Amino acid sequence: MLRIITQQAEAQAEIKRICDRTSDEQIVHKEATVREILATVKRQGDKALLHYTAEFDGQQLNGEELRVSGSELDAAYQQISKELLDAIGLAKRNIEAFHQQRVPKSWVNFGQDNIVLGKKYTPVDKAGLYVPGGRACYPSTVLMNAIPAKVAGVERIVMVTPPGQDKTINPAVLVAAQEAGVEEIYRVGGAQAIAALAFGTETIPKVDVISGPGNIYVTLAKKLVYGTVGIDSLAGPSEVLIIADRSANPVHVAADMLAQAEHDPMAAAILITDDESLADRVQTEVERQLRYHTRKLLTEKAIANYGLIIVVDTLVTAAQLSNEFAPEHLELEIREPWEFLEHIRHAGAIFLGKSTPEAVGDYLAGPNHTLPTSGAARYASALGVETFMKHSSLIEYSPEALQKVAGAINILTQAEGLPSHGDSVKFRTQPESID
Amino acid sequence: MLRIITQQAEAQAEIKRICDRTSDEQIVHKEATVREILATVKRQGDKALLHYTAEFDGQQLNGEELRVSGSELDAAYQQISKELLDAIGLAKRNIEAFHQQRVPKSWVNFGQDNIVLGKKYTPVDKAGLYVPGGRACYPSTVLMNAIPAKVAGVERIVMVTPPGQDKTINPAVLVAAQEAGVEEIYRVGGAQAIAALAFGTETIPKVDVISGPGNIYVTLAKKLVYGTVGIDSLAGPSEVLIIADRSANPVHVAADMLAQAEHDPMAAAILITDDESLADRVQTEVERQLRYHTRKLLTEKAIANYGLIIVVDTLVTAAQLSNEFAPEHLELEIREPWEFLEHIRHAGAIFLGKSTPEAVGDYLAGPNHTLPTSGAARYASALGVETFMKHSSLIEYSPEALQKVAGAINILTQAEGLPSHGDSVKFRTQPESID
């Protein structure tokens, strides 16, 4: 049964408990395992990948089977329906259009004394995309990671995903990859796949950036290799926070909460409302929709542990609680959602109004569905084109411009005790100082 | 003696050795120490800070002394020269002007069927700035971290820096902080300072993002707390790569190399040139400039271990080697630097032409001097306003717009096996489906 609480202090404590639900303790414990996997792949390359794939995925591959073959890629198109292909196409077009608007452009400014300052943007050379397998078969994840990399202009995009039964990869995943322009796909998952992308093996190239969600082992591996390569973020379990007023439909709100909970037993779904009657009706409706749910056990577990309804006096209090949680997804099922935005400080994505269920954004609205979790929205943002690009500062001074700042630089270098910094300017501006 | 090499294979091997000079081994070793410091500060708060400050900095503070007092802040202005204050002021204005140009703006697009998509940018609530102490007293570091946070609109900026002799903080650092608008400064450094910023103590607030460079303990601490808070980057020792042709002045090139080497025995300074005679003259000139250098021992060590001159046949080869290194700083002391930019893929900052020594950018040109090191320029960029901001995606669908995509979403949710995702759309678009 979804709990309803009305005390503000209890609400804050619960918000904090749910936000911190991935405890440090279990992480430190698993880190030793992950560290060993990373070291072994770094040392043994493909051999270690095959070993761990047998151990963790139960699939005995040989070296040639690591890479998904061209005939498998072709065959995938025969295994999915025309409708699914069309839906993937629609999602692709929307995601591409949204991300294309956000490609940063190089620029220069010309200042006084012929000073030129600017930024040159370039894509990374190689990107690695992790796509989870197993229970979660998500072609949408493929699109949301591959399209920004492609739009950024990355020349080599490498995808990894663990093999399922009979060494197969889900055909919808293979089609989504190809539609997004990715054809280099390897049958390997877990921490070992992250190691392969970070260090390179005989078969899999070392990349510059790794993106994509995964389980706790994948996330730990990404944290450990960060610095050797770039990473998109450390993804925790998914979460939604819904702020709803009397005008919201309890059937819709309940479905939206369950849509989060059905991902994962660690997923969180929180409703904050100023309408006690809505709270009661959503509670009942969640029970009802759960009754014949095809992922009932898992979903019930998430709802029991990390589901919550909070009744507040005013929606401003709801916004404050939401800011403390800094949700990955925030739905505003209220009368005037745009007016309310000023109260929202931290959220990965905000779904405005009553016709915008999170599922629209999960699949095809266009903005990225890879979003900061576990309170990371306080400082982090959605994955985007910039995840796969970087910029170089451009600085050019003229002799006159250098002359004008030589004195100030000299004083600063003295304050910092760095004589050659001073000399590098002095020798240029006072050639007589070179003795 | 600065080595000169001419073999391409040897050059590549040396580039790799220098790029990888911060080995993994020493890091794993020190990580246990850092982990313990983090855990102790998390558990004991201020008490642990005072303990570690006594142990590592040799300064016995009491709780009230942790925060730098108003009178100390005032007094700092009396302890620096008018010239230094003016130079800090000039640097501040240039850095501020450059960063103000780059503040991202929130936006929305109105699409068909009343679909609204956009991004809302907000600053983080609290930023923590780490400023190293000891040998390195860098007011410029204060400006380069504090000004972007201030320009981003961060309401609370907290600075930490270790106390020197007699518990003092360098007055130039205190003045730079105040000029940049930072008045909340704590006398604590090392991993313990990072722990305080990440978890909060009785005196020091938990922040959302930590920026600023430090020694290996600080960097390891930042890596370990990443995910609990955001971080700017993992800074390694500094480095410059200079591409120079026959037109370059060997005295200038030598000073620029030493300006890098004098930072740290681990700093790297590499010259790549197509002119053998320049190579010889720079080698001699480095020796000469080192003779009376006030930081001779340290600088010589860096030059001996991580200094290098490579002679190549063509400048295009120089660019290839530079891209393999992905330098933090790249100087193009060549005839047509702008034409040459097309060959450069990876560099933190690029200094164009013969009147742009790196020192100009280190202090006051405007672009940030906090740059990716150790090859991270392959995927990372300079610190900037965006380090202290994040965006929320905005999505609004109208009932008509939702109706049009309902079929596609339904098919995608079926492919991913997520029934409530489908229901959340179906219940809105086909009310009769609610049974």
Side-chain angles (χ1 to χ4, degrees):
Chain A
M1 173 78 88
L2 188 48
R3 278 173 319 139
I4 300 181
I5 62 181
T6 55
Q7 298 294 321
Q8 171 122 9
E10 192 187 355
Q12 283 181 303
E14 279 294 283
I15 286 274
K16 187 165 164 30
R17 179 185 69 82
I18 297 175
C19 192
D20 295 345
R21 67 196 181 283
T22 51
S23 79
D24 285 352
E25 312 314 319
Q26 77 177 81
I27 285 174
V28 173
H29 180 69
K30 285 171 179 151
E31 208 179 89
T33 311
V34 172
R35 214 183 268 286
E36 194 195 316
I37 295 171
L38 295 178
T40 308
V41 173
K42 192 174 181 179
R43 211 171 45 241
Q44 302 184 346
D46 284 350
K47 189 183 153 211
L49 298 185
L50 301 180
H51 165 78
Y52 288 122
T53 303
E55 184 175 342
F56 299 133
D57 304 303
Q59 302 299 313
Q60 301 279 352
L61 305 182
N62 63 47
E64 281 78 57
E65 289 172 318
L66 263 180
R67 181 162 179 175
V68 175
S69 69
S71 59
E72 242 173 306
L73 289 174
D74 291 343
Y77 278 91
Q78 313 310 318
Q79 295 170 267
I80 71 164
S81 68
K82 170 81 170 58
E83 290 71 28
L84 182 53
L85 180 60
D86 289 346
I88 288 172
L90 173 64
K92 183 209 162 184
R93 287 193 301 281
N94 286 350
I95 297 166
E96 203 170 63
F98 185 86
H99 286 79
Q100 268 164 351
Q101 293 170 10
R102 310 310 300 158
V103 182
K105 301 272 176 288
S106 302
W107 57 274
V108 286
N109 273 350
F110 298 91
Q112 282 186 318
D113 300 314
N114 292 315
I115 292 172
V116 188
L117 301 178
K119 291 281 186 195
K120 182 189 178 201
Y121 283 86
T122 37
V124 302
D125 288 343
K126 298 194 207 81
L129 313 184
Y130 188 89
V131 176
R135 186 168 61 202
C137 144
Y138 294 157
S140 59
T141 302
V142 177
L143 299 178
M144 291 289 184
N145 282 271
I147 293 170
K150 203 78 191 172
V151 169
V154 179
E155 290 203 357
R156 190 165 178 190
I157 303 176
V158 175
M159 195 174 113
V160 293
T161 189
Q165 284 306 314
D166 303 324
K167 310 178 185 177
T168 56
I169 309 284
N170 182 289
V173 162
L174 294 181
V175 168
Q178 294 174 86
E179 291 296 302
V182 179
E183 306 219 326
E184 185 172 352
I185 303 172
Y186 298 95
R187 221 181 300 272
V188 60
Q192 58 274 22
I194 302 299
L197 294 172
F199 308 123
T201 70
E202 300 89 325
T203 304
I204 299 180
K206 171 176 169 46
V207 302
D208 301 306
V209 173
I210 300 174
S211 77
N215 63 19
I216 183 73
Y217 294 97
V218 169
T219 303
L220 277 174
K222 282 170 72 181
K223 179 165 178 171
L224 288 171
V225 301
Y226 170 54
T228 302
V229 294
I231 61 171
D232 58 339
S233 61
L234 300 172
S238 199
E239 61 210 17
V240 69
L241 190 146
I242 302 171
I243 297 179
D245 64 14
R246 198 157 59 86
S247 72
N249 183 323
V251 177
H252 303 174
V253 172
D256 294 358
M257 293 181 82
L258 290 174
Q260 203 60 46
E262 72 184 353
H263 271 292
D264 184 331
M266 293 286 285
I270 300 172
L271 165 65
I272 311 182
T273 180
D274 60 353
D275 182 30
E276 234 171 297
S277 141
L278 181 77
D280 291 337
R281 285 180 297 154
V282 169
Q283 187 186 47
T284 308
E285 186 59 30
V286 162
E287 286 297 295
R288 198 186 66 80
Q289 293 184 23
L290 261 174
R291 212 164 299 149
Y292 303 106
H293 200 284
T294 52
R295 294 161 76 98
K296 186 174 179 185
L297 234 62
L298 173 167
T299 310
E300 264 182 346
K301 204 168 160 190
I303 287 290
N305 292 328
Y306 307 116
L308 188 64
I309 301 176
I310 300 171
V311 180
V312 291
D313 288 340
T314 72
L315 290 183
V316 173
T317 305
Q320 285 162 356
L321 287 169
S322 175
N323 287 336
E324 286 176 29
F325 192 67
E328 180 189 15
H329 305 99
L330 173 63
E331 289 190 3
L332 300 179
E333 301 207 39
I334 56 178
R335 277 191 209 83
E336 287 167 340
W338 288 96
E339 281 65 28
F340 194 70
L341 271 188
E342 63 171 312
H343 300 293
I344 301 302
R345 293 192 54 82
H346 315 301
I350 305 173
F351 300 82
L352 295 103
K354 282 160 264 178
S355 296
T356 319
E358 188 203 308
V360 170
D362 289 345
Y363 288 111
L364 52 62
N368 211 284
H369 80 189
T370 310
L371 295 163
T373 59
S374 309
R378 284 181 292 114
Y379 57 84
S381 312
L383 183 146
V385 173
E386 63 278 16
T387 306
F388 302 102
M389 300 187 80
K390 70 282 189 312
H391 51 74
S392 305
S393 302
L394 302 175
I395 306 177
E396 183 179 46
Y397 263 54
S398 64
E400 311 80 75
L402 189 63
Q403 198 75 54
K404 285 196 186 167
V405 296
I409 292 179
N410 191 41
I411 285 162
L412 288 162
T413 62
Q414 282 172 17
E416 298 195 351
L418 297 171
S420 291
H421 278 68
D423 288 346
S424 72
V425 175
K426 203 157 53 180
F427 292 164
R428 283 168 165 96
T429 54
Q430 304 174 37
E432 69 281 7
S433 68
I434 308 169
D435 48 24
Chain B
M1 177 75 90
L2 188 48
R3 278 174 318 139
I4 300 181
I5 61 182
T6 54
Q7 298 295 320
Q8 172 122 8
E10 191 187 356
Q12 282 180 304
E14 279 294 286
I15 286 275
K16 187 164 164 31
R17 179 186 68 82
I18 297 174
C19 193
D20 294 345
R21 68 196 181 283
T22 52
S23 80
D24 284 353
E25 312 313 320
Q26 77 178 81
I27 286 174
V28 174
H29 180 68
K30 286 172 178 150
E31 208 178 88
T33 310
V34 172
R35 215 184 267 285
E36 194 195 316
I37 294 171
L38 296 179
T40 308
V41 173
K42 192 174 181 179
R43 212 169 47 239
Q44 301 185 348
D46 285 348
K47 190 182 152 210
L49 298 185
L50 301 180
H51 165 78
Y52 288 122
T53 303
E55 185 174 340
F56 299 133
D57 303 303
Q59 303 298 311
Q60 301 280 351
L61 306 181
N62 63 47
E64 281 78 56
E65 290 173 317
L66 263 181
R67 183 162 177 174
V68 174
S69 68
S71 57
E72 242 174 307
L73 291 174
D74 290 342
Y77 278 91
Q78 312 311 317
Q79 295 169 267
I80 72 164
S81 68
K82 170 79 170 61
E83 289 71 28
L84 182 52
L85 180 60
D86 287 347
I88 289 173
L90 173 65
K92 183 209 162 185
R93 286 192 301 280
N94 285 351
I95 298 166
E96 203 170 62
F98 185 85
H99 286 78
Q100 268 164 352
Q101 292 169 10
R102 310 310 300 158
V103 181
K105 302 271 176 288
S106 301
W107 57 274
V108 287
N109 273 349
F110 299 91
Q112 281 185 321
D113 301 315
N114 291 314
I115 292 172
V116 187
L117 301 178
K119 291 280 186 196
K120 183 190 179 199
Y121 283 86
T122 38
V124 300
D125 288 343
K126 298 193 206 83
L129 313 184
Y130 188 90
V131 175
R135 187 166 61 203
C137 146
Y138 293 158
S140 60
T141 303
V142 177
L143 298 178
M144 291 289 184
N145 282 272
I147 293 170
K150 203 78 191 172
V151 170
V154 180
E155 290 202 355
R156 190 165 177 189
I157 303 176
V158 175
M159 195 175 113
V160 292
T161 190
Q165 284 307 312
D166 303 323
K167 310 178 184 176
T168 56
I169 309 285
N170 182 289
V173 163
L174 294 182
V175 168
Q178 293 174 85
E179 291 297 301
V182 179
E183 307 220 323
E184 185 172 351
I185 304 172
Y186 298 95
R187 218 182 302 272
V188 61
Q192 59 273 23
I194 301 300
L197 294 172
F199 306 123
T201 70
E202 299 89 324
T203 304
I204 299 179
K206 172 176 168 45
V207 301
D208 301 307
V209 174
I210 299 174
S211 78
N215 63 20
I216 183 74
Y217 294 97
V218 169
T219 302
L220 277 175
K222 282 170 72 180
K223 179 164 177 172
L224 288 171
V225 302
Y226 170 54
T228 301
V229 294
I231 62 172
D232 57 341
S233 62
L234 300 173
S238 198
E239 60 210 18
V240 70
L241 191 146
I242 302 171
I243 297 179
D245 64 15
R246 198 157 58 85
S247 70
N249 183 321
V251 177
H252 302 175
V253 172
D256 293 359
M257 293 181 82
L258 290 174
Q260 203 61 46
E262 71 184 354
H263 270 293
D264 183 333
M266 293 286 285
I270 300 173
L271 164 65
I272 310 182
T273 180
D274 60 353
D275 182 30
E276 234 171 298
S277 142
L278 181 76
D280 291 337
R281 285 180 296 155
V282 169
Q283 188 187 46
T284 308
E285 186 59 30
V286 162
E287 286 297 294
R288 198 187 67 78
Q289 293 183 25
L290 261 174
R291 213 165 298 150
Y292 303 105
H293 201 285
T294 53
R295 295 160 75 99
K296 186 172 178 187
L297 233 61
L298 173 167
T299 310
E300 264 181 346
K301 204 168 161 191
I303 288 290
N305 292 329
Y306 307 116
L308 189 64
I309 301 177
I310 300 171
V311 180
V312 290
D313 288 340
T314 72
L315 290 182
V316 172
T317 306
Q320 285 161 356
L321 288 169
S322 175
N323 287 336
E324 285 176 30
F325 191 67
E328 180 189 15
H329 306 99
L330 172 63
E331 289 190 2
L332 300 179
E333 301 207 39
I334 56 178
R335 277 191 209 81
E336 287 168 341
W338 289 95
E339 281 64 28
F340 193 70
L341 271 188
E342 64 172 309
H343 300 292
I344 301 303
R345 292 192 55 80
H346 315 301
I350 306 173
F351 301 81
L352 294 103
K354 282 161 262 177
S355 297
T356 319
E358 188 204 309
V360 170
D362 288 345
Y363 288 111
L364 51 62
N368 211 284
H369 80 191
T370 310
L371 296 163
T373 60
S374 307
R378 283 181 293 113
Y379 57 85
S381 311
L383 183 145
V385 172
E386 63 278 16
T387 307
F388 302 102
M389 299 186 81
K390 68 287 190 309
H391 51 73
S392 304
S393 302
L394 302 175
I395 306 177
E396 182 178 48
Y397 262 54
S398 65
E400 310 80 73
L402 188 64
Q403 198 75 53
K404 286 197 185 166
V405 296
I409 292 179
N410 191 41
I411 284 162
L412 288 162
T413 62
Q414 282 172 18
E416 298 195 351
L418 297 170
S420 291
H421 279 67
D423 287 346
S424 72
V425 175
K426 203 158 54 181
F427 292 164
R428 284 169 164 96
T429 54
Q430 304 173 37
E432 68 283 5
S433 68
I434 309 169
D435 49 23

